[in-house]
Structures are given as C-alpha cells and as structure tokens.
Amino acid sequence: MNFRLTAALCVALSLCALLVVPGNFPGLGGDARLTLAVFALATCAWIATPIDDTYIALGAGLALTVTGVISSDTLFGTLGDSTVWLLICAFVLAAAVARTGLAGRAAVFLVGGARTVRQLTHLTTAALVVTAFAVPATSGRAALALPVFLALAKALADRKRLVVMLALLFPTVILLSAVATLIGAGAHLITVSVLWEATGDRIGFTEWLLLGLPLAVVSSHLAAEAVLLTTTRRADRRGPVHITAEQIQEHSDRPVTGPWSQAETRCALLLATVVVLWCAEPLHRVPPAVVALIGAVVASSPALGTVRLKDALKTVPWSLLLFMAATMAMGVALADSGAAKWLVSGLPGGVTPVVFLTVVIAASTAAHLVLQSRSARSSVLVPLVVAAAVGAGVNPVAAALASTAAAGFCHTLPASAKPVTLFAEIPGTPTYTPRDLLRLSAVLAPLSAALVLLFAVAVWPLLGVPTTR
C-alpha cells in the first residue's frame, strides 16, 4: 500500500507541476489547468489512500469553488438536484418496505417453488432483480437479502458447494441487476447529471428502465449460469431441493405466510403505485422525484405509514449523497472549463462507433481494479467518455450508458464492492474464497463486457438510442 500511495502521489504531483508551467499545453486555459490538477489529485487519492471517498470529493469541490472555477451556487446547488431528492425518498420507501417483512413473503413465494438446483438459482436471480425496484443502492439490497441467504444456507447445510454457489450468486446478481433502474446505484444519478450538464440530454426513470431492465435481466441470468457452472460440479447439481416457509421464517422477525397485515397491504399498494407512476412518467409528466416524495410522505405518515420519518431518514446514506453532489460539481467544472474537451482532443480520430464503444466498455469493466467505489468510477470516467463521444461522433448517451453498465462488473476481489465483501465474511456459514471470485471473473468479465457492447450496438438503437449522433 505504501508503494501504491507513493506512486500515485508522484504521478499527481508531476501532473500538477506540468500544468503550472504556462508554456506547457498551449490552448489550455487557467480554469482548465486548475480543474485538471484538482481532478488528478482527487483521482489519485481515491485510488491510493484510505481517506474516505466523500471527504476527498468534498475537498475537491471546495478547492474548485475557492479558486473560482465554479461558483458556490453550483457547488451547493447540486445538493438540491432532483436526482438527489429521488434517492433520499427512495430510501425512505425502502425503510417502509423493510419494516413490513414483505421481503420474507416474496422469498417464500419465489424460492419456495424451486425443486431443482437450476430452478433455485434462477428463481433467486429473478427475486434479486425485482429488489432493484424496491431498494436503492446495491449495499442496501445486499443487507436486505442476507437473511434470505442465511435461511437458504441453513436449509442446504448438508450441500456445502450449493451454499458457496448461493453466497456468490447473491452479490453477483445484485451488482449486475442494478442497471435495471435509475435508483439502482448512485453512479447512475451521476451519469444522468453529467449528461444533462454536458449535452442537455435528460434520461428519466422510464427511459432508463426501458434501456436498463432488459440488460439487467439477461446479464443476471447469464451470470447465474456462470456462477452455477464455475462453483459447482455435476454431482452437486443433482438431487432435488426443497426450501420450506418454516426454514425462511426462522430468519425473519415478521410472518412470511398467512394473512397479510394492514401495514403490509398498504405498503405493497404504495410501492406498486409509486413504481407504476415512475414508469408512466411520459403520460402524466410528474417528475420521478416528486412521485418519490409523495410516496415517502405517505409511507412515513402517522395514519397510513409503516415507519416514522426520523427512523427512515437514518437509513439514508448521507455520505453517498454528499459524494454525489461534490462529484457532480466536479463534472460541471470539467465541462465548463474546457478541461474534458482538451483531455480527449488528442485521441485518434476516425475510429468507428463499435471500436470506440469497445474501448469504453473495456476500460470501464477493468476500472474496478483501480477505483473500488462505483460512484467514483463514474465520476472519473463518464465526463471523459461524454466529451470523447461528442468529438468522435458517437452518441454520448449510448457511450455514457455503456460505460456505466460495464462499470457494474466489480467481482474480481472481495474488496471490489460492498455486496461482495458482505457475503464473503459470514461467520458460521460456508462462503466463497478469493480463488472462487477469480475463477468467476475470468468467465464473467468478458461475458459481461460483450453483452453490454451487444446492447449498445444492436439493442439500444431499436429502443431509441442510436450509436451515432
């Protein structure tokens, strides 16, 4: 780690020294030089230091404000962005759902019907994909799914390889299926903000759902097969499985069978209504953040709610929201100062859209080896990808979506993502080793990248997002 820190510090300081000399890089303005220096220091700090990512982002945003690259209104205004409010309200709704025990009932309904190992694998995958609509952020979904995994692990205690397979399946699907919705990861909101600031293109909840859900479903089920085949043998997959409601009930403090309570019914109806209104945005024109705010107010109301507002607000990851706001401000500085445009001006021209997207997807897929925060990866990559796409004649929306979707792969190391870390360390339960992760990554990384490229080139153009402008 000391070597990594020293190397990163040397790189950052060398870049800053080069930027300070006026004769270097002709055509690069003062604001752009300051922006690139701050950007380089922040990126190196994210890569090589144990300092909290949010602290680094806030320091970078403050530096850009004090030096006059962006205004204080720009820095503080990002906290009032509609996407930030959307995420806050989505967490309040998720807290209401968690209080009711609906997750346990859903697990019994879906997983209880499995009779073979492959059925169990794909029913679990389908259930995890659905959670992307109820719980924002991958770490929140992992925490919600952990009790369900523990129940399955206890029911299959005599079949250790199947337990290891499920331990790897849960974080894998949670990470890859996040692309299904706009609220699936904070990185998505950063991508939407960067696109709006740089190009004026706005991606709403419905547009993201139309583009992301098919990719999430296909990639999740392909990943499920990859997990099944790389962690189990043919003998492990033989024999029936039978998960009972009683086994799941042991790990839930709420009833998972029997008549629904009034709170469960109200919460399920509210969640369904919010999701339907999000999907129907083109018809009623009410912004998703306003819909989410209405849902959050109802979910925490004294008469109809299932959770108190102050308790729900405790579940909101305020650190993530501050990180998003600060990195949005950094994105504005990169675009407005001309730094992003200058960075990509030296790239070779004349490349085809397919080649361009292939390079973007490959770089985004591998970026988790350097930047472990998904939001940090989008903060660094998306502004550059958007600027490069405009210069190369590629649709910046397609390029940004491809980069963000590809960055969802982060399975190589236990520390690569919070869900992977969570399921790698479960006391008293067999789970996967770093070797299992490497074996899966060798198959899943090229498979995931190829699938994103296929969607960007062949599927998304059919849904209204061409590869060229």
Side-chain angles (χ1 to χ4, degrees), residues 29-191:
D31 284 353
R33 291 174 185 271
L34 285 170
T35 301
L36 288 176
V38 171
F39 193 74
L41 289 170
T43 302
C44 290
W46 280 328
I47 292 172
T49 69
I51 302 173
D52 185 78
D53 290 343
T54 302
Y55 187 85
I56 295 169
L58 287 174
L62 182 61
L64 292 169
T65 303
V66 170
T67 54
V69 177
I70 58 174
S71 66
S72 58
D73 289 342
T74 299
L75 177 64
F76 297 129
T78 53
L79 272 175
D81 191 271
S82 61
T83 55
V84 173
W85 278 92
L86 173 63
L87 197 60
I88 293 173
C89 297
F91 270 99
V92 173
L93 285 168
V97 172
R99 283 291 181 94
T100 61
L102 286 174
R105 290 187 181 273
V108 171
F109 175 74
L110 286 167
V111 179
R115 294 296 177 264
T116 67
V117 173
R118 184 161 267 108
Q119 282 183 350
L120 175 64
T121 301
H122 286 282
L123 286 173
T124 301
T125 298
L128 290 171
V129 172
V130 171
T131 62
F133 295 91
V135 182
T138 53
S139 56
R141 293 167 63 202
L144 182 70
L146 184 59
V148 177
F149 164 73
L150 291 174
L152 296 177
K154 186 173 182 180
L156 298 169
D158 58 335
R159 302 170 74 174
K160 181 180 177 182
R161 293 306 305 173
L162 292 188
V163 176
V164 173
M165 182 274 293
L166 288 172
L168 192 51
L169 177 71
F170 272 70
T172 296
V173 175
I174 286 170
L175 290 167
L176 292 180
S177 62
V179 74
T181 70
L182 181 59
I183 62 172
H188 301 170
L189 305 180
I190 292 172
T191 297

Side-chain angles (χ1 to χ4, degrees), residues 3-16 41 44-45 48-49:
F3 173 77
R4 189 179 184 183
L5 175 60
T6 303
L9 185 61
C10 290
V11 170
L13 293 178
S14 298
L15 288 173
C16 291
L41 289 170
C44 290
T49 69

